[in-house]
Amino acid sequence: MEEQLSERGKRILEAVIEDYIATAEPVGSRTITRSHALALSPATVRNVMADLEEMGLLASPHTSAGRIPTDKAYRLYVNSILEAKQNLMPGKRDEIRRRCRMAGKDPAEMLKEASRLLSTTSSYMGVVMAPRMAANVFHQMEFVKLSSHRILAILVSQNGTVQNRLLETEEEIPQEDLVRMANYLNGMLQGLTIAQVRERLLAEMQSEKVRYDSLMARALALSEQTIRTDSTEIFLEGQANILDQPEFSDAARMREIFRAFEKKSLLLDLLDRSMQAEGVQIFIGSESPLLKMEGMSLVTSTYLTGKDTVGVLGVIGPTRMGYGRVIPIVDYTAKLISRLLESE
């Protein structure tokens, strides 16, 4: 597609996209000649815009003589036309750094604050997906007796993630036995990822020695109930910012969007896709597998909490979002979160 575009076509397409990003109004040829130094007549611009429409890069709303960019146009724009500034202004970097560090050493609080600052600095929605539990490295497990048949199981990962689970038992287990169980498990599971821990537990439960050691058998049974690898937390902030975007002023459209974000599984599928490659990923409008995301885009980047543990964060906004502004915000925040989490 890029090869088919003349230099004049690229410049006019860029002008249409940038004007539409700024105004959310269809862009006409006279607007282009007035606001951009192209040294072209409105008639020439109009002819080029007609060619761009034939190529599927511009569309004509029924209510206006102007044109608006298509998803294909935005894709071409971010891939080959846009020159995103990779460095934020020093003041913006300082603000992001300060707010992340204010969250303290709790990884969950830091990730939650990251979603807030992504929202406020971009004026769209900020989203952060915590690393999937399966990739975390086991640190220790603890069992606390709450009542005769109820136990609190606490699983701590090396990156500081804590997972609590209430367990019901058929028989009463003394606290001293719970301590011994935890000590046994902690010695056996050190250095394994949570996914490997589950595999090890299942293998141990099938071994012959477990049949002759009731304490070991109960410890394995309790830990197997405790560890879940499908638990993933998503922090989403700034949904109200979408209300400020003119293309989403329709109440029915807004309800569709918010219902889509309430379905955690759909959002997880989309974020999982962006974890398949390192660095910034951009999903534009209809490219998203979320049907309700039509008219919206997602800019994401992966972050690290250790050698093998990966999460993802990003910004969700209209396809008309200012990509040149959002991309460096997402990129810098992801790199900062990686450094802060790895240093803890």
Side-chain angles (χ1 to χ4, degrees):
M1 176 64 70
E2 182 183 359
E3 292 75 14
Q4 300 173 30
L5 270 181
S6 65
E7 189 60 35
R8 177 184 292 178
K10 287 183 183 179
R11 291 168 63 198
I12 291 175
L13 179 62
E14 182 177 7
V16 172
I17 291 174
E18 291 182 352
D19 281 4
Y20 187 64
I21 285 173
T23 67
E25 295 290 339
V27 181
S29 57
R30 290 190 180 277
T31 301
I32 295 295
T33 55
R34 284 198 303 265
S35 58
H36 297 269
L38 298 178
L40 299 171
S41 69
T44 300
V45 173
R46 194 158 46 246
N47 289 336
V48 174
M49 290 175 70
D51 292 340
L52 294 172
E53 187 170 4
E54 284 186 9
M55 297 172 69
L57 296 170
L58 297 180
S60 302
H62 297 300
T63 57
S64 172
R67 304 291 194 276
I68 63 174
T70 63
D71 290 351
K72 186 189 293 186
Y74 286 118
R75 173 51 62 192
L76 180 64
Y77 177 69
V78 299
N79 282 358
S80 59
I81 297 177
L82 174 67
E83 293 183 0
K85 296 179 181 178
Q86 294 304 309
N87 294 313
L88 292 174
M89 295 295 289
K92 189 67 69 175
R93 288 200 305 269
D94 292 343
E95 179 190 356
I96 294 173
R97 207 162 39 233
R98 176 181 58 80
R99 289 180 57 180
C100 282
R101 284 176 172 160
M102 281 177 60
K105 295 184 177 181
D106 182 356
E109 281 302 313
M110 191 182 299
L111 296 180
K112 190 171 184 178
E113 182 59 33
S115 67
R116 292 193 195 103
L117 72 86
L118 284 168
S119 172
T120 55
T121 54
S122 70
S123 299
Y124 302 125
M125 281 190 285
V127 60
V128 177
M129 184 175 81
R132 288 195 178 276
M133 196 66 182
N136 290 348
V137 177
F138 179 92
H139 177 59
Q140 70 176 33
M141 186 179 293
E142 183 179 352
F143 299 119
V144 179
K145 183 176 179 179
L146 300 179
S147 63
S148 57
H149 295 283
R150 179 172 289 185
I151 294 168
L152 174 65
I154 305 168
L155 173 63
V156 183
S157 303
Q158 283 189 4
N159 65 5
T161 304
V162 179
Q163 190 178 65
N164 297 322
R165 191 86 63 217
L166 281 175
L167 307 177
E168 300 286 343
T169 61
E170 293 183 0
E171 59 179 319
E172 183 172 357
I173 304 176
Q175 181 61 47
E176 54 268 25
D177 283 352
L178 293 175
V179 171
R180 284 197 290 271
M181 290 178 187
N183 290 338
Y184 159 68
L185 293 167
N186 292 337
M188 180 177 67
L189 304 174
Q190 282 299 314
L192 302 180
T193 66
I194 301 304
Q196 292 170 335
V197 164
R198 278 194 64 84
E199 293 176 3
R200 178 69 183 275
L201 292 175
L202 293 173
E204 288 291 326
M205 291 174 74
Q206 300 300 318
S207 69
E208 284 290 326
K209 60 183 178 181
V210 172
R211 297 183 185 181
Y212 304 103
D213 191 327
S214 62
L215 188 68
M216 186 188 301
R218 286 185 294 174
L220 293 171
L222 288 179
S223 58
E224 199 275 333
Q225 293 177 58
T226 302
I227 295 174
R228 295 181 183 176
T229 57
D230 59 352
S231 176
T232 303
E233 192 162 12
I234 293 179
F235 303 102
L236 187 65
E237 294 283 342
Q239 294 95 318
N241 288 340
I242 298 300
L243 295 171
D244 296 330
Q245 307 302 321
E247 56 263 63
F248 301 119
S249 58
D250 178 73
R253 177 76 175 117
M254 284 305 306
R255 282 195 295 272
E256 284 183 1
I257 291 171
F258 283 112
R259 275 198 294 267
F261 290 123
E262 286 171 359
K263 295 180 180 179
K264 183 180 176 182
S265 60
L266 295 179
L267 194 52
L268 274 174
D269 288 343
L270 181 57
L271 294 173
D272 275 340
R273 284 188 60 191
S274 63
M275 290 179 61
Q276 295 173 9
E278 293 182 6
V280 174
Q281 304 291 308
I282 303 170
F283 298 87
I284 297 173
S286 56
E287 295 175 356
S288 162
L290 279 176
L291 296 178
K292 302 300 183 184
M293 286 280 285
E294 183 180 353
M296 304 191 75
S297 291
L298 171 65
V299 178
T300 70
S301 182
T302 53
Y303 65 89
L304 302 175
T305 61
K307 187 175 180 181
D308 301 310
T309 307
V310 180
V312 64
L313 56 77
V315 166
I316 300 171
T319 52
R320 187 182 54 82
M321 75 162 67
Y323 295 96
R325 182 172 57 85
V326 171
I327 290 170
I329 289 173
V330 170
D331 184 49
Y332 178 76
T333 304
K335 290 174 179 174
L336 175 64
I337 290 295
S338 295
R339 289 199 302 271
L340 292 176
L341 290 175
E342 287 177 355
S343 67
E344 294 300 335

